[in-house]
Amino acid sequence: MKSFISSMVFCLGLLATAWGQTTPQDSTLVITGEEEQLLLAQQADSVKTFQRFKADGIAAVVGDYLILESDILKMKADAKTQGMDMSQINDCQLVGRLMENKLYAHHAQLDSTIVVSADEINAMIDQQLDRMMAQVGDIEKVLAFYRKDTEADLREELFKINKERTLSSRMQDKIVGEMEVTPEEVRSFFNSIPEDERPLFGDEVEIAHLVIKPEVPQSEKQKVIDRLNEMRTDIVENGASFSTKAVLYSQDGTSMRGGQMSITRNDPLDKDFKQVAFSLQEGEVSKPFKTEFGYHIVQLDKIRGKVLDIRHIILIPQVTEETVQAARKKIDSIRSRIVNNEITFDEAARLYSEEKETKGDGGKLINPKSGDTRFELTDIDPLIYDQVNNLEEGEVSSVLMDQTRTGTKFFKLVTVNKKHEEHLANYAQDYTKIKELALREKQLKSIEKWQREKIMDTYIKISDDYKQCDFKSNWLKQ
């Protein structure tokens, strides 16, 4: 990118990640591999290990919120965890970023249209604790890492963190969430960039794939259903422990905690799973049912407002060697027909592909980052990068083997529909990307205007250590 775009992207990066864009991982609430090693090693120098939690005083006050010196240290650690280069970011910029977050959260609390319920925050905490325990083993290790005596103490701290961040995000959504740009605004934005500062876009490809999955025999499905029925009978009629059976037999990450989950209707879970869970009474165990991931039984432990505490067991029926070989034979045959020009890749994908999301469009893949069909080579799945990188337009890859999130293997073919070589931004060719940049600039201007107005209406106090900072926003009200 040239300096004009780089400067704008940096400013956007310092703003919170609402605006309808992809939200990065919240590293504050995830124990990293490095941190896990520190924990498991049980280093004697606990002061050094937990230095980032030390409160060194108040750096600033924004409305009802304090910014501690330790918050700045923690923000640095989080940024490094997410791979950011901190050499170009100083403490003044970090304090400014934290004050922005507090400003959003403060005014969200004053806005009667923005509602963040305790049930919603508690559901987030349940999911975060589940991830933490999956990483390090049990709640005691999580408590040791965060230097908390009880789970209640940790939940209280996580509640404050999550509520503030959710309020901040909702406020930003309200400011720019519905904002759009017209074609004329996109053209004006593009024309405003000096020719020698227009961005350079790297090599890109448009690709499609065709997926063939080995069939799961009905006999294997029935084995799983029968096994789940046996478990359910033992639990319901004989008083057996659902939790113990989940630990022993469930085939997902919740097994280590007895299948325990806390869910709401808004969670991004399989719709059939949620439908069954929310149809149960407390203590009831469902009959076996199917989702896209496998076959389940669910027990409802407790209803807490809009949150359900449940346990579940999932069993995944397996393909057989015979069905794997049949799938391989089928995709080999399809590839031969495409290579021999008996059928186009687009036609073959529409007829034979077993991935419903893409088959109707000839197997074309959509880049989740941009929403269009073009991928930078560095964004492509490493499994197929070498194949795609060496293919010419219209060529078909050899048969590739992949697997689903549940570990079930399948086969696929990949083709390159079009290649785009590295080039300076072109309005017609790169309209989608230019539109995204234009929208971000418009959002940035709206955010800056909102900040200017709200800063003047909000109580703000900054410690002497930061009064010499050259803040982008008028935090010193000068």
Side-chain angles (χ1 to χ4, degrees), residues 115-126 155 159 162-163 264 304-307:
V115 178
V116 177
S117 70
D119 285 343
E120 178 183 1
I121 302 301
N122 283 323
M124 290 183 191
I125 295 170
D126 290 337
R155 283 180 174 273
F159 189 94
N162 280 292
K163 184 171 182 180
T264 70
R304 294 187 288 113
K306 296 180 180 180
V307 180

PDB file of all heavy atoms in Angstrom, residues 115-126 155 159 162-163 264 304-307:
ATOM      1  N   VAL A 115     -28.974  -1.809  24.873  1.00  0.00           N
ATOM      2  CA  VAL A 115     -29.236  -2.678  26.020  1.00  0.00           C
ATOM      3  C   VAL A 115     -28.271  -3.855  25.991  1.00  0.00           C
ATOM      4  O   VAL A 115     -28.156  -4.548  24.976  1.00  0.00           O
ATOM      5  CB  VAL A 115     -30.696  -3.187  26.008  1.00  0.00           C
ATOM      6  CG1 VAL A 115     -30.936  -4.126  27.185  1.00  0.00           C
ATOM      7  CG2 VAL A 115     -31.671  -2.015  26.019  1.00  0.00           C
ATOM      8  N   VAL A 116     -27.583  -4.070  27.084  1.00  0.00           N
ATOM      9  CA  VAL A 116     -26.705  -5.227  27.241  1.00  0.00           C
ATOM     10  C   VAL A 116     -27.133  -5.940  28.521  1.00  0.00           C
ATOM     11  O   VAL A 116     -26.970  -5.411  29.621  1.00  0.00           O
ATOM     12  CB  VAL A 116     -25.217  -4.804  27.333  1.00  0.00           C
ATOM     13  CG1 VAL A 116     -24.345  -6.031  27.570  1.00  0.00           C
ATOM     14  CG2 VAL A 116     -24.795  -4.072  26.073  1.00  0.00           C
ATOM     15  N   SER A 117     -27.705  -7.118  28.370  1.00  0.00           N
ATOM     16  CA  SER A 117     -28.261  -7.821  29.528  1.00  0.00           C
ATOM     17  C   SER A 117     -27.198  -8.644  30.247  1.00  0.00           C
ATOM     18  O   SER A 117     -26.197  -9.061  29.668  1.00  0.00           O
ATOM     19  CB  SER A 117     -29.399  -8.743  29.091  1.00  0.00           C
ATOM     20  OG  SER A 117     -28.890  -9.836  28.340  1.00  0.00           O
ATOM     21  N   ALA A 118     -27.451  -8.883  31.525  1.00  0.00           N
ATOM     22  CA  ALA A 118     -26.550  -9.716  32.313  1.00  0.00           C
ATOM     23  C   ALA A 118     -26.511 -11.146  31.770  1.00  0.00           C
ATOM     24  O   ALA A 118     -25.452 -11.787  31.758  1.00  0.00           O
ATOM     25  CB  ALA A 118     -26.995  -9.718  33.776  1.00  0.00           C
ATOM     26  N   ASP A 119     -27.651 -11.652  31.295  1.00  0.00           N
ATOM     27  CA  ASP A 119     -27.690 -13.010  30.737  1.00  0.00           C
ATOM     28  C   ASP A 119     -26.766 -13.122  29.527  1.00  0.00           C
ATOM     29  O   ASP A 119     -26.062 -14.124  29.353  1.00  0.00           O
ATOM     30  CB  ASP A 119     -29.118 -13.378  30.323  1.00  0.00           C
ATOM     31  CG  ASP A 119     -30.007 -13.697  31.515  1.00  0.00           C
ATOM     32  OD1 ASP A 119     -29.452 -13.950  32.602  1.00  0.00           O
ATOM     33  OD2 ASP A 119     -31.234 -13.694  31.364  1.00  0.00           O
ATOM     34  N   GLU A 120     -26.782 -12.093  28.682  1.00  0.00           N
ATOM     35  CA  GLU A 120     -25.931 -12.094  27.493  1.00  0.00           C
ATOM     36  C   GLU A 120     -24.453 -12.129  27.877  1.00  0.00           C
ATOM     37  O   GLU A 120     -23.664 -12.894  27.314  1.00  0.00           O
ATOM     38  CB  GLU A 120     -26.228 -10.837  26.666  1.00  0.00           C
ATOM     39  CG  GLU A 120     -25.382 -10.692  25.414  1.00  0.00           C
ATOM     40  CD  GLU A 120     -25.672  -9.405  24.666  1.00  0.00           C
ATOM     41  OE1 GLU A 120     -26.521  -8.607  25.128  1.00  0.00           O
ATOM     42  OE2 GLU A 120     -25.038  -9.184  23.615  1.00  0.00           O
ATOM     43  N   ILE A 121     -24.069 -11.315  28.861  1.00  0.00           N
ATOM     44  CA  ILE A 121     -22.666 -11.270  29.283  1.00  0.00           C
ATOM     45  C   ILE A 121     -22.267 -12.579  29.965  1.00  0.00           C
ATOM     46  O   ILE A 121     -21.184 -13.111  29.738  1.00  0.00           O
ATOM     47  CB  ILE A 121     -22.413 -10.084  30.226  1.00  0.00           C
ATOM     48  CG1 ILE A 121     -22.789  -8.768  29.529  1.00  0.00           C
ATOM     49  CG2 ILE A 121     -20.957 -10.046  30.661  1.00  0.00           C
ATOM     50  CD1 ILE A 121     -22.043  -8.498  28.254  1.00  0.00           C
ATOM     51  N   ASN A 122     -23.158 -13.125  30.778  1.00  0.00           N
ATOM     52  CA  ASN A 122     -22.836 -14.386  31.457  1.00  0.00           C
ATOM     53  C   ASN A 122     -22.669 -15.525  30.466  1.00  0.00           C
ATOM     54  O   ASN A 122     -21.835 -16.421  30.667  1.00  0.00           O
ATOM     55  CB  ASN A 122     -23.930 -14.722  32.473  1.00  0.00           C
ATOM     56  CG  ASN A 122     -23.827 -13.890  33.741  1.00  0.00           C
ATOM     57  OD1 ASN A 122     -22.723 -13.599  34.204  1.00  0.00           O
ATOM     58  ND2 ASN A 122     -24.956 -13.494  34.292  1.00  0.00           N
ATOM     59  N   ALA A 123     -23.450 -15.510  29.375  1.00  0.00           N
ATOM     60  CA  ALA A 123     -23.279 -16.536  28.342  1.00  0.00           C
ATOM     61  C   ALA A 123     -21.902 -16.403  27.688  1.00  0.00           C
ATOM     62  O   ALA A 123     -21.252 -17.410  27.389  1.00  0.00           O
ATOM     63  CB  ALA A 123     -24.381 -16.407  27.293  1.00  0.00           C
ATOM     64  N   MET A 124     -21.449 -15.175  27.440  1.00  0.00           N
ATOM     65  CA  MET A 124     -20.100 -14.970  26.902  1.00  0.00           C
ATOM     66  C   MET A 124     -19.052 -15.545  27.853  1.00  0.00           C
ATOM     67  O   MET A 124     -18.101 -16.203  27.431  1.00  0.00           O
ATOM     68  CB  MET A 124     -19.824 -13.467  26.725  1.00  0.00           C
ATOM     69  CG  MET A 124     -20.586 -12.775  25.642  1.00  0.00           C
ATOM     70  SD  MET A 124     -20.037 -11.042  25.560  1.00  0.00           S
ATOM     71  CE  MET A 124     -21.287 -10.373  24.460  1.00  0.00           C
ATOM     72  N   ILE A 125     -19.232 -15.269  29.138  1.00  0.00           N
ATOM     73  CA  ILE A 125     -18.260 -15.739  30.132  1.00  0.00           C
ATOM     74  C   ILE A 125     -18.208 -17.253  30.158  1.00  0.00           C
ATOM     75  O   ILE A 125     -17.127 -17.853  30.237  1.00  0.00           O
ATOM     76  CB  ILE A 125     -18.613 -15.180  31.518  1.00  0.00           C
ATOM     77  CG1 ILE A 125     -18.464 -13.654  31.520  1.00  0.00           C
ATOM     78  CG2 ILE A 125     -17.729 -15.798  32.599  1.00  0.00           C
ATOM     79  CD1 ILE A 125     -19.021 -12.975  32.754  1.00  0.00           C
ATOM     80  N   ASP A 126     -19.374 -17.892  30.076  1.00  0.00           N
ATOM     81  CA  ASP A 126     -19.405 -19.361  30.056  1.00  0.00           C
ATOM     82  C   ASP A 126     -18.580 -19.903  28.895  1.00  0.00           C
ATOM     83  O   ASP A 126     -17.793 -20.847  29.057  1.00  0.00           O
ATOM     84  CB  ASP A 126     -20.845 -19.861  29.942  1.00  0.00           C
ATOM     85  CG  ASP A 126     -21.659 -19.622  31.207  1.00  0.00           C
ATOM     86  OD1 ASP A 126     -21.044 -19.480  32.275  1.00  0.00           O
ATOM     87  OD2 ASP A 126     -22.903 -19.585  31.118  1.00  0.00           O
ATOM     88  N   ARG A 155     -15.212 -14.625  37.402  1.00  0.00           N
ATOM     89  CA  ARG A 155     -16.401 -14.259  36.645  1.00  0.00           C
ATOM     90  C   ARG A 155     -16.742 -12.769  36.829  1.00  0.00           C
ATOM     91  O   ARG A 155     -17.171 -12.101  35.891  1.00  0.00           O
ATOM     92  CB  ARG A 155     -17.598 -15.119  37.075  1.00  0.00           C
ATOM     93  CG  ARG A 155     -17.580 -16.537  36.508  1.00  0.00           C
ATOM     94  CD  ARG A 155     -18.776 -17.342  36.957  1.00  0.00           C
ATOM     95  NE  ARG A 155     -18.824 -18.634  36.297  1.00  0.00           N
ATOM     96  CZ  ARG A 155     -19.403 -18.864  35.123  1.00  0.00           C
ATOM     97  NH1 ARG A 155     -20.008 -17.866  34.486  1.00  0.00           N
ATOM     98  NH2 ARG A 155     -19.403 -20.056  34.592  1.00  0.00           N
ATOM     99  N   PHE A 159     -16.903 -10.251  33.812  1.00  0.00           N
ATOM    100  CA  PHE A 159     -18.171  -9.563  33.563  1.00  0.00           C
ATOM    101  C   PHE A 159     -17.917  -8.086  33.253  1.00  0.00           C
ATOM    102  O   PHE A 159     -18.483  -7.529  32.306  1.00  0.00           O
ATOM    103  CB  PHE A 159     -19.093  -9.690  34.785  1.00  0.00           C
ATOM    104  CG  PHE A 159     -20.492  -9.204  34.533  1.00  0.00           C
ATOM    105  CD1 PHE A 159     -21.485 -10.084  34.138  1.00  0.00           C
ATOM    106  CD2 PHE A 159     -20.821  -7.853  34.677  1.00  0.00           C
ATOM    107  CE1 PHE A 159     -22.777  -9.640  33.882  1.00  0.00           C
ATOM    108  CE2 PHE A 159     -22.103  -7.399  34.428  1.00  0.00           C
ATOM    109  CZ  PHE A 159     -23.087  -8.293  34.041  1.00  0.00           C
ATOM    110  N   ASN A 162     -16.206  -7.814  29.716  1.00  0.00           N
ATOM    111  CA  ASN A 162     -17.124  -8.108  28.609  1.00  0.00           C
ATOM    112  C   ASN A 162     -18.211  -7.063  28.470  1.00  0.00           C
ATOM    113  O   ASN A 162     -18.586  -6.704  27.344  1.00  0.00           O
ATOM    114  CB  ASN A 162     -17.759  -9.488  28.809  1.00  0.00           C
ATOM    115  CG  ASN A 162     -16.845 -10.608  28.383  1.00  0.00           C
ATOM    116  OD1 ASN A 162     -16.562 -10.773  27.202  1.00  0.00           O
ATOM    117  ND2 ASN A 162     -16.358 -11.363  29.345  1.00  0.00           N
ATOM    118  N   LYS A 163     -18.716  -6.566  29.575  1.00  0.00           N
ATOM    119  CA  LYS A 163     -19.782  -5.578  29.484  1.00  0.00           C
ATOM    120  C   LYS A 163     -19.258  -4.293  28.854  1.00  0.00           C
ATOM    121  O   LYS A 163     -19.897  -3.714  27.973  1.00  0.00           O
ATOM    122  CB  LYS A 163     -20.370  -5.283  30.855  1.00  0.00           C
ATOM    123  CG  LYS A 163     -21.552  -4.310  30.766  1.00  0.00           C
ATOM    124  CD  LYS A 163     -22.291  -4.169  32.075  1.00  0.00           C
ATOM    125  CE  LYS A 163     -23.496  -3.230  31.901  1.00  0.00           C
ATOM    126  NZ  LYS A 163     -24.264  -3.060  33.158  1.00  0.00           N
ATOM    127  N   THR A 264     -27.441 -19.685  24.441  1.00  0.00           N
ATOM    128  CA  THR A 264     -28.608 -18.825  24.260  1.00  0.00           C
ATOM    129  C   THR A 264     -29.115 -19.034  22.836  1.00  0.00           C
ATOM    130  O   THR A 264     -28.435 -19.635  22.003  1.00  0.00           O
ATOM    131  CB  THR A 264     -28.255 -17.338  24.455  1.00  0.00           C
ATOM    132  OG1 THR A 264     -27.435 -16.900  23.356  1.00  0.00           O
ATOM    133  CG2 THR A 264     -27.510 -17.128  25.765  1.00  0.00           C
ATOM    134  N   ARG A 304     -31.559 -20.431  33.170  1.00  0.00           N
ATOM    135  CA  ARG A 304     -31.189 -19.174  33.838  1.00  0.00           C
ATOM    136  C   ARG A 304     -31.606 -18.014  32.945  1.00  0.00           C
ATOM    137  O   ARG A 304     -30.824 -17.510  32.156  1.00  0.00           O
ATOM    138  CB  ARG A 304     -29.690 -19.115  34.111  1.00  0.00           C
ATOM    139  CG  ARG A 304     -29.189 -20.133  35.105  1.00  0.00           C
ATOM    140  CD  ARG A 304     -27.727 -19.922  35.459  1.00  0.00           C
ATOM    141  NE  ARG A 304     -26.829 -20.276  34.369  1.00  0.00           N
ATOM    142  CZ  ARG A 304     -26.077 -19.409  33.702  1.00  0.00           C
ATOM    143  NH1 ARG A 304     -26.134 -18.114  33.982  1.00  0.00           N
ATOM    144  NH2 ARG A 304     -25.280 -19.817  32.739  1.00  0.00           N
ATOM    145  N   GLY A 305     -32.865 -17.608  33.052  1.00  0.00           N
ATOM    146  CA  GLY A 305     -33.361 -16.554  32.174  1.00  0.00           C
ATOM    147  C   GLY A 305     -33.340 -17.028  30.728  1.00  0.00           C
ATOM    148  O   GLY A 305     -34.002 -17.999  30.361  1.00  0.00           O
ATOM    149  N   LYS A 306     -32.546 -16.341  29.906  1.00  0.00           N
ATOM    150  CA  LYS A 306     -32.428 -16.701  28.493  1.00  0.00           C
ATOM    151  C   LYS A 306     -31.287 -17.679  28.238  1.00  0.00           C
ATOM    152  O   LYS A 306     -31.026 -18.035  27.085  1.00  0.00           O
ATOM    153  CB  LYS A 306     -32.220 -15.444  27.651  1.00  0.00           C
ATOM    154  CG  LYS A 306     -33.402 -14.482  27.696  1.00  0.00           C
ATOM    155  CD  LYS A 306     -33.142 -13.256  26.839  1.00  0.00           C
ATOM    156  CE  LYS A 306     -34.312 -12.291  26.884  1.00  0.00           C
ATOM    157  NZ  LYS A 306     -34.050 -11.075  26.041  1.00  0.00           N
ATOM    158  N   VAL A 307     -30.616 -18.106  29.295  1.00  0.00           N
ATOM    159  CA  VAL A 307     -29.471 -19.003  29.164  1.00  0.00           C
ATOM    160  C   VAL A 307     -29.853 -20.403  29.627  1.00  0.00           C
ATOM    161  O   VAL A 307     -30.501 -20.573  30.667  1.00  0.00           O
ATOM    162  CB  VAL A 307     -28.272 -18.497  29.994  1.00  0.00           C
ATOM    163  CG1 VAL A 307     -27.081 -19.433  29.852  1.00  0.00           C
ATOM    164  CG2 VAL A 307     -27.892 -17.076  29.569  1.00  0.00           C
TER     165      VAL A 307
END
